[in-house]
Amino acid sequence: MSPQIIDGKAFAATVREQVKDYTHGLKQQHGITPGLAVVLVGDDPASQVYVRSKGKHTVEAGMNSYEHLLSADTSEAELLALIHQLNADPAVHGILVQLPLPPHLNEALVINAIDPSKDVDGFHISNVGLLATGQKAMVPCTPLGCLMMIREYCGILTGLNAVVAGRSHIVGKPMAQLLLAENCTVTVVHSQTRNLPDILRSADIVVAAVGKPLFVQADWIKPGATVIDVGINRVEQEDGTTRLVGDVDFESVKEVAGAITPVPGGVGPMTIACLLANTVTACCRLNALPEPGFLNPIT
Ligand code: NAD
């Protein structure tokens, strides 16, 4: 049986189209244009690429994009003052502070200064708590994108065994919470786990978010399982060039899996699509308008 290669690029294009339509409706019916503010401190090249890409997609979806590019020596007080200003700005419905921040800035303090209702990354402690208790939260974009793809390929998830590899605050933990909310039996494995391959072999759904190139092997996967690869690793090749690979050994695992995401072209595009989706959700909640149902992950 040949596996289904989950086309995250096409899926993300569909989500962006839905976001665009909804945004158009908000403008037409209510005169409201969702606005996303992205704050970048410093000049990390990878972060600059992400921020530019987010801005481009925001504008293409018909929303307003506000970019705040601050120098690497910005003080905590200056950054907090900007966040307070964005919290109070009615044209801004989503606020994203690009991570990582330079080491002199306290990441938790900065993230928790964002108004939770504008926290489109879902990293504010209030949103973490709401998600953990199954309440209406802003859900982190990467796990939200993974869940959308898993639902599409697996249908109803009740009773399925899901194994999440990695326990980071931005991917592993919220992913596990979302799958629990879908009534999966969830196991989280991490760097200290014993018998990790045996645990993975029990999984109907595997989400790999460990940051280790080609880590997950074909003989760790149950035949027919759905495999979602969050990893983005740049590896050097023999000819000196680099290429992007995931945390899953795609070429061998695809021979066993029922469905699998490639890298690139899997989870990555869905993350930005879900950021736009969260901005629309935040805009609707702030204006007490109905939310786009297709985006609501908590059933
Ligand atoms: P992280 O470094 O914060 O966490 C990695 C996790 O993997 C940790 O919980 C650790 O316990 C676990 N781990 C490390 N070594 C392990 C091992 N040998 N066995 C089992 N578990 C192990 O990473 P993160 O921020 O969660 O990101 C994970 C990967 O996903 C990275 O490659 C990152 O670039 C990628 N990522 C992609 C997107 C996207 O949009 N596609 C978004 C976020 C992160």
Side-chain angles (χ1 to χ4, degrees):
M1 196 183 75
S2 54
Q4 280 186 287
I5 308 299
I6 301 174
D7 186 345
K9 229 170 146 180
F11 203 127
T14 305
V15 173
R16 289 201 308 270
E17 217 36 57
Q18 288 171 316
V19 167
K20 193 173 172 179
D21 287 349
Y22 213 88
T23 298
H24 184 70
L26 285 172
K27 277 189 206 175
Q28 295 291 309
Q29 291 163 31
H30 305 283
I32 297 169
T33 303
L36 173 64
V38 177
V39 180
L40 173 63
V41 185
D43 45 18
D44 175 64
S47 294
Q48 285 174 331
V49 171
Y50 288 136
V51 166
R52 266 201 301 273
S53 177
K54 285 165 186 169
K56 174 177 156 280
H57 285 297
T58 304
V59 171
E60 280 174 9
M63 301 195 247
N64 290 327
S65 168
Y66 308 101
E67 278 181 21
H68 296 269
L69 308 177
L70 309 182
S71 66
D73 60 359
T74 299
S75 70
E76 206 160 79
E78 287 169 321
L79 180 55
L80 290 173
L82 172 61
I83 290 172
H84 292 143
Q85 181 197 316
L86 297 172
N87 284 344
D89 186 341
V92 173
H93 306 97
I95 303 170
L96 180 152
V97 176
Q98 184 68 42
L99 301 179
L101 288 171
H104 68 283
L105 299 171
N106 180 334
E107 234 164 63
L109 185 82
V110 169
I111 296 302
N112 290 326
I114 298 172
D115 176 344
S117 55
K118 297 188 177 186
D119 168 38
V120 282
D121 251 344
F123 297 160
H124 189 288
I125 193 74
S126 298
N127 284 313
V128 174
L130 289 168
L131 178 62
T133 50
Q135 299 179 69
K136 224 182 210 183
M138 292 307 304
V139 176
C141 305
T142 300
L144 177 56
C146 293
L147 180 68
M148 285 183 180
M149 292 192 284
I150 293 168
R151 273 183 175 170
E152 178 79 8
Y153 284 84
C154 298
I156 293 172
L157 307 183
T158 297
L160 295 182
N161 285 343
V163 176
V164 178
R167 57 176 164 182
S168 72
H169 298 315
I170 63 168
V171 188
K173 282 180 189 162
M175 188 74 247
Q177 300 289 0
L178 286 172
L179 290 165
L180 267 179
E182 298 283 325
N183 298 315
C184 290
T185 302
V186 181
T187 308
V188 179
V189 295
H190 50 77
S191 56
Q192 307 304 311
T193 297
R194 294 178 191 168
N195 303 327
L196 184 146
D198 285 343
I199 298 170
L200 254 73
R201 275 184 209 108
S202 70
D204 303 301
I205 299 164
V206 173
V207 180
V210 294
K212 298 216 172 304
L214 312 178
F215 177 71
V216 175
Q217 302 296 304
D219 64 348
W220 303 359
I221 299 297
K222 177 159 122 180
T226 296
V227 179
I228 306 293
D229 189 352
V230 181
I232 302 177
N233 308 289
R234 203 169 281 283
V235 293
E236 199 160 321
Q237 304 189 93
E238 277 173 11
D239 64 2
T241 59
T242 57
R243 76 178 172 116
L244 282 187
V245 299
D247 288 346
V248 174
D249 185 2
F250 180 81
E251 287 307 321
S252 64
V253 171
K254 79 172 168 28
E255 302 302 326
V256 188
I260 182 168
T261 58
V263 176
V267 174
M270 283 299 283
T271 297
I272 291 192
C274 287
L275 172 66
L276 305 179
N278 275 351
T279 305
V280 172
T281 299
C283 177
C284 292
R285 289 181 188 171
L286 284 160
N287 289 285
L289 293 169
E291 290 172 35
F294 63 92
L295 300 173
N296 189 354
I298 301 290
T299 47

